[in-house]
């Protein structure tokens, strides 16, 4: 039995009915030509359920002792694994727009995973327009982090539309094949792209002599105002609608933008792709708060998770550290806002750059300590550690297929907490960047507007950079089929309001 | 603000992720001739959401103080009531059989209601075969008991297929109209039928001088073996698969039988309708346990709730007492089994007959005390108070319509707990008795077989009574439309396995 580490167990301890600690993704697919929707989906459901032994921890459930999750916790095989329970076939009411999909996904994301069973669910959803179907995947953060979720999702995909999986993508056999291909370098584009965020952050000096005391000294300097561009949790974080206590209901919206548009903005300002994403989100959040007449004087601070997974290591659990980025929402000029964000991110990276992965993990926990004290006291919304989380997960940069069904997009759904009622997570896929925004339904009832504001923010950055802005054409879902395959850069997907 | 009484609060305190404390019902309707399914359902959804002020507690949420649910709890209006959240439009995957419906309903019943909002959800479900649709209604037991749920569901129905509701059935206006009709005696058949179970139990002596000490004396006698036919919680209750600790996942099955068949058995044995229902369930449970090679030597004991609601009183909250009935499952002969069940039920009724409603409520709580002590110690499955709950809720004895859609059946879903992993609840409707069986998915993975065993048990009772048994024809859902309207007694509805 594998024992849970302290970080994974933290996700179990922190969980409540208002704050589920699972992560998820919703993917869109187009049926292969001529396939019958219902029959094809039943085939996929049967294939998903067909596994002798499952990739850990998909066949394992939690085992705790007398102390419950307060004591040691382990993964043990579920003695009565019920694949019919985990793999579910669902449907949308007519007319089957993205609106109906996002409504269903918002509900599914608001329910807790069953603790006495392996901590995952997979929903195959029929009834979308235009021969599309959707898959909603949900996994507990204690069992598997976002990056590993991506690996698992990827292991069922192929660049070859004719490829048919023989066994469940969750089977141990399939996983071993996937890992073998990965380490043999047969899919070099995967490992290159998937490690981009990591290599951005982790320098060659990762295992240097830098130690935790230096980091604590930096932390102390920040608290006493001698931190330069470095921002740290709880420091100068304004309180907004994003930072109230939450309830258990959610709103989810998703949208895709061409990777090239965001990358062009990054290049124009001599920043990273991630800097450009943060600047795009910052402009949108500024506009949202302005519209609701509550733009704070202090700038919003974003938690930006950085994966500490090393290249080639696809089997380890959670290995994530957090940077606190100043979103410069008090700055009206988009170019100046970009520069301030960039400086703040660089300071955050520098702070971690000299630490080893285990030091970063330890230090991340020390940094969370004030939150752990404030949360039970109900003070977290008065002293929020950050205003919002913005997370960039590297994905696959080519068109992929699941048993012949083309994947059209893949949108992440992360965790929101008391004091941090919104999470923006994005995945690069094919020629696009797929954004998923999850929010507390009560704190942010109009979160769907953020999608419009993000487009406006991106255009403002393009204008400021002197790029020829391509005004995004809002394509109705019914027109998706008509989009030009030859010009993927202007694709825009999953536009929906609810 | 209305304060919750101690029984209602008990349902909040007892609730956990494995043991949700909500009750529900799933109803089947046939679309009016010529109506478009999707359009008709969207119309119903819009009508449900259309209310200025809601019948309490549908617009109210829980308010607790520093002590949470351990301290005083009240109902307060939800300041941001979100009808879109509560009234949901869902769909079934193809082929849209009862099997797919029960799968969805099992899932919906396994999730917790959101504590920060009014404690109810309503799901309108499209995609059933044969122009049917379904409604799944879920209400927290702390907010409204089973009998009141029935009243609320009924207030949206009419015996007139041409009747169209002007406002939401949940609106205060609609409720006042419903109550006025009820008290003016305009629907005498409703109040007559709805009070049948109550008048079975509550005698004219209800407000007599009988007091709690007499009841406690009877309780003590039962524990010391001087109780005659009276059975009480925890006494001689065998431990079976029905009485293990449960998890949060559920299996739901439903089936209808003609009221006349069960009533004929009751008459032949000179018993009540409820006696016949218990005998029918007892035979089925005996066969289920025999098949699984675990029929205990001691007979199963059933909790049989009795409503204490008085005629004309539709506004009070929970008012339910429990009889412990000996199901005589150790007896092979159906006639002898019927007689033993009958004697045990009569003893239970006599025990309560001299008490006033408030005395019964107090005494019911005293009887629950051993359970409250055993539950936190994890001993409840070793000393279960009962083996199973069998609950008979009186319904409407004529065909009803919701905005022109004919209601074809209405199946209850109740609560299961540690130590009592199955609940059978039945409602009389039109010419039928609609049974809903809810069970813990892990403890009773084959609960769907009970439906067959109940039919066999009913036939055995008919044989023993010398009645000409009508072998039930299993009608495929696809043949529902072909059933003869002129012979409703042979109707059989909602046959489904999963």
């Amino acid at each position: 039995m594998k024992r849970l580490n302290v970080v994974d167990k933290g996700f179990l301890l922190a969980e409540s009915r208002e704050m589920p600690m699972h992560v998820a993704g919703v993917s869109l697919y187009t049926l292969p030509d001529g396939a019958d929707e219902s029959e094809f989906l039943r085939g996929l459901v049967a294939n998903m359920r067909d596994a002798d032994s499952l990739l850990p921890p998909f066949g394992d459930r939690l085992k705790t002792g007398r102390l419950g999750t307060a004591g040691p916790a382990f993964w043990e095989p579920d003695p009565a694994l019920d694949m019919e329970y985990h793999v579910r076939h669902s449907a949308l009411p007519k007319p089957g727009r993205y609106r109906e999909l996002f409504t269903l996904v918002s509900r599914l994301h608001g329910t807790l995973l069953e603790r006495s069973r392996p901590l995952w669910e997979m929903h195959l959803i029929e009834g979308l327009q235009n021969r599309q179907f959707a898959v909603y995947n949900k996994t507990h953060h204690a069992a598997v982090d976002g990056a590993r979720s991506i690996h698992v999702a990827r292991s069922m995909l192929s660049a070859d539309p004719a490829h048919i999986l023989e066994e469940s993508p969750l089977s141990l056999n399939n996983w071993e094949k996937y890992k073998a291909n990965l380490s043999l370098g047969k899919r070099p584009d995967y490992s290159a792209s998937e490690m981009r965020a990591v290599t951005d952050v982790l320098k060659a000096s990762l295992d240097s002599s830098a130690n935790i005391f230096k980091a604590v000294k930096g932390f102390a300097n920040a608290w006493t105002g001698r931190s330069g561009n470095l921002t740290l949790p709880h420091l100068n974080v304004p309180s907004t609608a994003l930072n109230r206590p939450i309830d258990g209901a959610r709103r989810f919206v998703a949208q895709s933008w061409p990777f090239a548009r965001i990358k062009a903005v990054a290049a124009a300002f001599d920043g990273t792709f991630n800097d450009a994403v943060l600047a795009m989100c910052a402009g949108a959040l500024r506009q949202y708060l302005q519209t609701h007449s509550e733009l704070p004087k202090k700038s919003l601070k974003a938690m930006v998770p950085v994966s500490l997974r090393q290249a080639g290591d696809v089997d380890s659990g959670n290995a994530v550290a957090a940077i606190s980025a100043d979103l410069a929402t008090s700055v009206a000029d988009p170019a100046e806002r970009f520069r301030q964000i960039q400086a703040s991110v660089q300071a955050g990276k520098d702070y971690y750059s000299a630490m080893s992965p285990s030091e970063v993990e330890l230090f991340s926990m020390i940094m969370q300590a004030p939150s752990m004290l404030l949360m039970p006291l109900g003070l977290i919304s008065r002293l929020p550690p950050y205003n919002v989380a913005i997370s960039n997960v590297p994905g696959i940069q080519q068109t992929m297929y699941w048993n012949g069904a083309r994947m059209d997009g893949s949108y992440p759904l992360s965790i929101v907490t008391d004091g941090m009622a919104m999470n923006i997570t994005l995945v690069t896929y094919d020629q696009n960047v797929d954004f998923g925004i999850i929010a507390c339904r009560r704190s942010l009832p109009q979160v769907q507007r953020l999608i419009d504001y993000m487009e406006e923010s991106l255009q403002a950055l393009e204008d400021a950079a002197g790029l020829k802005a391509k005004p995004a054409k809002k394509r109705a879902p019914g027109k998706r089929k008509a989009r030009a395959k030859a010009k993927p850069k202007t694709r825009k997907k999953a536009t929906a309001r609810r």
Side-chain angles (χ1 to χ4, degrees), chain A:
Chain A
M1 290 194 298
K2 194 189 161 193
R3 185 164 171 164
L4 275 75
N5 70 31
V6 68
V7 174
D8 289 347
K9 236 182 53 184
F11 286 110
L12 296 175
L13 289 168
E15 188 167 66
S16 68
R17 52 197 300 158
E18 291 80 23
M19 262 189 271
M21 288 288 159
H22 51 250
V23 289
V26 59
S27 303
L28 295 172
Y29 293 87
T30 296
L31 288 167
D33 287 340
D36 173 76
E37 181 185 28
S38 197
E39 194 183 317
F40 188 80
L41 260 67
R42 280 200 302 273
L44 291 181
V45 167
N47 174 249
M48 284 302 306
R49 291 174 178 166
D50 176 30
D52 280 337
S53 54
L54 292 180
L55 155 69
F58 288 88
D60 299 339
R61 63 176 187 178
L62 277 176
K63 183 181 169 60
T64 53
R66 273 187 313 116
L67 297 172
T69 41
F74 302 87
W75 296 112
E76 67 166 7
D78 184 347
L81 184 69
D82 181 355
M83 289 295 275
E84 208 183 298
Y85 173 86
H86 294 282
V87 182
R88 303 174 174 194
H89 191 165
S90 300
L92 298 178
K94 292 186 192 65
R97 298 162 298 183
Y98 294 127
R99 181 189 169 117
E100 280 78 28
L101 175 64
F102 293 165
T103 300
L104 177 61
V105 166
S106 301
R107 286 180 206 156
L108 295 177
H109 203 63
T111 64
L112 290 164
L113 286 164
E114 171 61 45
R115 282 263 174 114
S116 64
R117 297 174 183 271
L119 293 170
W120 63 280
E121 287 170 14
M122 182 176 209
H123 301 250
L124 282 91
I125 302 165
E126 71 178 49
L128 265 176
Q129 293 180 338
N130 302 316
R131 292 186 60 71
Q132 281 193 309
F133 66 92
V135 179
Y136 169 80
N137 258 306
K138 177 170 163 179
T139 323
H140 202 284
H141 210 319
V144 48
D145 68 8
R148 193 174 189 189
S149 293
I150 298 278
H151 270 294
V152 171
R154 188 175 300 177
S155 77
M156 67 198 226
L157 298 174
S158 167
D160 175 8
H163 180 77
I164 304 292
L165 287 163
E166 285 165 25
E167 260 187 288
S168 173
L170 297 176
S171 68
L172 204 50
N173 287 341
N174 194 66
W175 179 247
E176 294 299 339
K177 276 184 214 162
Y178 169 75
K179 273 204 301 183
N181 281 343
L182 210 62
S183 61
L184 287 172
K186 279 187 184 165
R187 300 180 183 173
D189 53 325
Y190 289 14
S191 35
S193 76
E194 86 201 3
M195 291 309 144
R196 195 160 37 79
V198 179
T199 48
D200 275 352
V201 176
L202 303 177
K203 304 284 152 55
S205 62
L206 260 183
D207 292 311
S208 78
S209 61
N211 62 44
I212 202 73
F213 296 108
K214 187 174 160 198
V216 172
K217 197 176 159 201
F219 192 47
N221 282 340
W223 274 87
T224 52
R226 288 171 290 172
S227 59
N229 287 315
L230 181 64
T231 64
L232 285 174
H234 302 283
L235 290 185
N236 296 309
V237 175
S239 182
T240 68
L242 301 166
N243 309 105
R244 310 271 145 78
I246 60 167
D247 73 12
R250 299 287 174 266
R251 275 195 195 269
F252 173 67
V253 283
Q255 175 80 312
S256 297
W257 276 271
F259 181 77
R261 272 185 77 189
I262 301 174
K263 193 70 194 165
V265 166
F269 286 107
D270 201 21
T272 65
F273 169 73
N274 202 44
D275 295 337
V277 164
L278 294 178
M280 184 177 159
C281 295
L285 288 165
R286 176 180 155 87
Q287 192 175 343
Y288 184 93
L289 292 170
Q290 261 181 336
T291 306
H292 290 77
S293 303
E294 54 169 356
L295 182 67
K297 280 184 190 163
K298 286 182 209 164
S299 286
L300 298 190
K301 306 298 181 297
M303 177 172 83
V304 181
V306 191
S307 174
L308 302 176
R309 194 183 292 277
Q310 304 225 35
D313 170 17
V314 293
D315 259 342
S316 63
N318 288 303
V320 175
I323 286 179
S324 178
D326 187 324
L327 291 183
T329 47
S330 60
V331 177
D333 177 59
E336 176 55 25
R337 199 184 311 130
F338 190 105
R339 276 184 289 271
Q340 289 196 15
I341 292 170
Q342 191 179 19
S344 151
V345 169
Q346 192 54 51
K349 287 178 185 172
D350 292 346
Y351 188 59
Y352 281 114
S353 64
M355 288 186 238
S356 75
S358 55
E359 285 167 351
V360 174
E361 187 171 322
L362 182 56
F363 188 68
S364 289
M365 281 168 48
I366 292 174
M367 288 225 297
Q368 302 295 329
S371 306
M372 287 180 188
L373 291 172
L374 294 170
M375 189 98 70
L377 294 171
L379 292 171
I380 198 86
S381 52
R382 278 199 244 162
L383 280 171
Y386 317 89
N387 295 102
V388 61
I390 303 175
S391 196
N392 166 16
V393 184
I396 313 169
Q397 314 242 328
Q398 72 185 109
T399 309
M400 300 298 282
Y401 298 84
W402 180 20
N403 278 14
R406 187 186 70 221
M407 189 165 97
D408 300 320
S410 179
Y411 307 87
L413 294 90
S414 191
I415 292 169
V416 296
T417 62
D418 277 347
M420 206 153 64
M422 183 197 288
N423 178 297
I424 302 175
T425 302
L426 50 137
V427 176
T428 45
Y429 167 62
D430 203 356
Q431 310 289 321
N432 283 306
V433 186
D434 297 344
F435 285 77
I437 305 179
I438 188 87
C440 167
R441 189 179 171 98
R442 195 180 280 275
S443 308
L444 295 157
Q446 303 190 308
V447 66
Q448 70 275 11
R449 294 194 184 167
L450 212 60
I451 293 292
D452 286 331
Y453 299 158
M454 283 170 77
E455 171 61 26
E456 289 169 32
S457 170
L458 182 57
Q459 287 182 27
L461 285 162
E462 287 169 333
D463 288 345
L467 297 166
K468 193 186 159 194
K470 294 174 190 162
K473 284 177 202 147
K474 290 265 166 58
R475 289 172 193 260
K479 291 185 182 167
R480 291 179 50 84
K481 283 171 89 177
R483 72 189 180 206
K485 261 239 140 182
K487 293 193 172 183
K489 285 181 188 177
T490 58
R491 270 202 223 169
K492 194 167 179 201
K493 292 184 302 186
T495 306
R497 301 292 120 82
R498 52 179 299 270

